[in-house]
Amino acid sequence: MTGTNVRAATDGDHSWPRALARGEREAERKDLLDDEKAHTHALDRINARRRRLPMTEARNDHTFADPAGKHRFTDLFEGCTQLVPVTTC
C-alpha cells in the first residue's frame, strides 16, 4: 500500500487522513517531530529572553482610589519586594 494509491476515506462531512505504509508514515511522523522540537527550542529561547528583561522600579507617588479612600502604590503591596503582573486573557 502506498500513499499515492490510497484515497482519503470520508465519513459524511469529515475527511480522514490518507493511509500510508508504516515506513512512509513513520518518515512523515519523524519529520513532524523534528519541526515540533525546533519550535520548542525556539520558544525556549524566547522565554529565556523574556526572563532576562530588566526590571522597572515602581514610582512611589502613584495612588489608587477605592471607597475607603486613596492609597499609595507602595501601601497596596507593603512588604513585597517584587510585583509580577499576570494577564488572564
Side-chain angles (χ1 to χ4, degrees):
M1 175 177 4
T2 66
T4 56
N5 294 338
V6 178
R7 293 173 18 142
T10 58
D11 179 16
D13 292 336
H14 182 78
S15 278
W16 295 95
R18 68 190 192 282
L20 294 176
R22 185 174 304 276
E24 290 175 290
R25 194 254 182 220
E26 290 303 317
E28 286 198 25
R29 175 67 184 116
K30 184 185 177 317
D31 187 47
L32 177 61
L33 184 59
D34 291 342
D35 287 348
E36 289 173 337
K37 285 181 180 181
H39 174 79
T40 299
H41 292 308
L43 189 56
D44 289 345
R45 286 190 301 275
I46 291 168
N47 288 333
R49 285 180 56 199
R50 182 180 303 110
R51 288 188 299 270
R52 288 191 302 269
L53 283 173
M55 292 187 213
T56 303
E57 188 173 342
R59 296 185 346 232
N60 286 333
D61 61 345
H62 192 82
T63 58
F64 295 89
D66 68 11
K70 289 186 177 184
H71 307 279
R72 291 183 328 163
F73 186 79
T74 53
D75 295 336
L76 294 175
F77 302 100
E78 186 176 349
C80 297
T81 58
Q82 292 183 3
L83 175 64
V84 179
V86 176
T87 61
T88 58
C89 309

